[in-house]
Amino acid sequence: MLKRILAVSLALNFSPAAQAASPITLLSEQCIDYQVSLSQAQESPTQLDASVRLERELIGLFNLKDSVRFYRHYPLNAEDKEALLQCQLHLADEFDRLAHEPWLQTQSQNWSQSDAPGLRQFGQLLTQQIAEQIDQQQKAKIHTAQASVAHGLKQKDLSLSIGQSQCRLTDEETQHADRPEQAFDNSIASYLIHQKDESCKRQVWQAYQVRAKQKNQAAISLIMATKQTIALEHGADDYASWALSHQRLANPAQVKHFLDSQTQLAPAPWTLGSKLAVLSKVEVTPRSGEQLLDDIQAELSPFGLEFETVNTNMLRLWHKGRLLGDVFLDRPPKPQLTGSQRANPPLGKQKHPPTEKAQTPTIKTPTFKEPKAQLSPLRQTVVGQQFGQLTLTLPDQLNDYRSQEQLIAAVAEMMSRLLTGGRYYLNNTLGDGQAIASLWLNQYLSQQLLPELPSNSREAELKAFSKQLKVFRSKLALSAYQTSDNRLYRNLSQEFGASFGAPWPGADDALYSFTGVVTQGPLYYLTLWHQRLAEQILSDAQLEATSVFELLLINEQQQPLDEQLTAIFGSAQSVATILERSQHDQPKPVL
């Protein structure tokens, strides 16, 4: 944690004296006093100059928001959590104040009609952000209810009460033959692994999904009612229609078409563990985090990227002579073995020679879970304003497919955040562009550095299940925010069966099993949409990889997504065309 604090202190340009205080305290002080001024932008002689001056003001607010988000990734005490919450609330109020400024409302609409692509996109995104502001009372209701739902769903370690005697496990069933010390602990995962009766597995899994229904039903109903009111205030029939109106898939019917095209059969959730257990893992060459990072750098070199090592914990990234930003490497500490666990005990503590019976004693290796690779963004690259800054968690050892895949995904996201060539923060962070660029680069690097997945592998089966769970939940979230008259999915039990091979009579209650339904709502499908577009680009692009890279990740000309896709595929790509591709061009697993 000290290393992380130092990295953030450097990133925020704190003085040596200020570094002695808690970074969160300093951040909170900066945050509470921060106020955006429109005076210089209002005095600008041209629209372009006004937008540049406004960006200089807004970027401070956005940087503070990103810093709050950065710290929330780490364990914090109650005082620091409260400080970050107050900061977050102040920043939200400050942007809300700006959104009600008549000059900004008028100017953002003017910018959205500009002939300059970058300024036009900035105006469109700012206009959308202003339109999506809700009043303080509605905001308070939603945020309070969301926190309540998240808290209710965190209670995953509660014991299960198995009512039916035939579904209870005996002591013998709850122990592995080779690992008798791992007894059943009444958790859902352990139960599904040890239970042999599929009917019992199914009943218990389904009961577990609605464990928080009674506690969260009122909060979720409040969120849905409040958002329906917001939609009606904006002239929409329901919240799903209003939330989707600014997306490329601009209405519920198009989202349904897409989700239906992605529906395929996967293992039922209650059978997943037993099916994975009999499948073989994909073999990969074990690599250290450093080795895989070096391999990724080699694959990125043809794109003009250069990694400069500043020191063991910091990299500086360049693209064809342009500085992109800094990456702080978070290297988790290695586990320390005690004297009794070392192969060679320290001098002075040797034991007497072992007896004949114990010539080859078994040394019990302590269990240690290697932390996964992940990216923690701190400052977004904005050309002409600031360089990017991020923290990359770099595990010591990457011995399996999943851990190597995680590092590749983290680096791909890192590159998409650092490379983007926009001159406005909103252009570089909102919309479909950055997500698609990151996923395309992730898939490209995985194709170069990882083996293809056989269809009968553990990893392929797990990916298929994860995707279908996302598909079903996307259908559920879409349906939840439609009125009963407009609802497109009228039988969610049938939709569950289409993905997992067996209907679930209580599928509507799956609403209470994941936080995405109250945080992302009808937009929960977006990651599936971005993933599918990235797959299509990788497989069907008419351009060389270097050209796709320049177009997606840098996009110096600030082309909108429509123009990017037209250049990539060699023809205009309407929503209907893309949906048709999604339906008939599903990626096939390797046999």
Side-chain angles (χ1 to χ4, degrees), residues 396-414:
D396 183 48
Q397 284 298 128
L398 304 169
N399 296 326
D400 56 33
Y401 183 96
R402 180 59 180 151
S403 62
Q404 295 186 13
E405 185 181 49
Q406 286 170 342
L407 180 57
I408 291 172
V411 173
E413 182 186 351
M414 177 180 82

Side-chain angles (χ1 to χ4, degrees), residues 284 287 289 291-297 299-300 307 372-375 392-395 398 400-416 437-451:
V284 296
R287 289 183 266 200
Q291 288 173 328
L292 184 53
L293 190 57
D294 287 343
D295 292 340
I296 294 172
Q297 291 180 40
E299 293 296 335
L300 292 173
F307 289 60
K372 70 177 183 179
Q374 61 181 2
L375 192 71
L392 175 65
T393 302
L394 189 65
L398 304 169
D400 56 33
Y401 183 96
R402 180 59 180 151
S403 62
Q404 295 186 13
E405 185 181 49
Q406 286 170 342
L407 180 57
I408 291 172
V411 173
E413 182 186 351
M414 177 180 82
M415 300 313 307
S416 71
S438 173
L439 289 166
W440 173 83
L441 185 58
N442 178 13
Q443 293 173 24
Y444 173 83
L445 291 172
S446 296
Q447 196 176 71
Q448 308 302 314
L449 296 169
L450 294 175

Side-chain angles (χ1 to χ4, degrees), residues 330-344:
D330 180 9
R331 303 171 186 272
K334 298 178 182 179
Q336 298 296 317
L337 299 182
T338 64
S340 62
Q341 293 166 336
R342 295 173 185 154
N344 299 306

Side-chain angles (χ1 to χ4, degrees), residues 117-175:
L119 183 56
R120 182 170 63 248
Q121 184 185 6
F122 174 63
Q124 291 169 347
L125 291 171
L126 186 56
T127 299
Q128 180 181 338
Q129 290 291 299
I130 291 172
E132 290 178 354
Q133 293 299 302
I134 59 178
D135 69 45
Q136 298 291 341
Q137 187 176 8
Q138 290 173 329
K139 190 182 298 183
K141 283 181 181 179
I142 291 173
H143 288 175
T144 302
Q146 285 176 340
S148 175
V149 172
H151 177 73
L153 286 172
K154 284 181 180 177
Q155 312 306 309
K156 294 182 179 180
D157 57 345
L158 298 177
S159 297
L160 290 173
S161 177
I162 311 300
Q164 298 181 13
S165 58
Q166 66 268 27
C167 287
R168 294 177 183 171
L169 298 176
T170 64
D171 291 341
E172 290 76 13
E173 289 175 313
T174 62
Q175 295 188 3

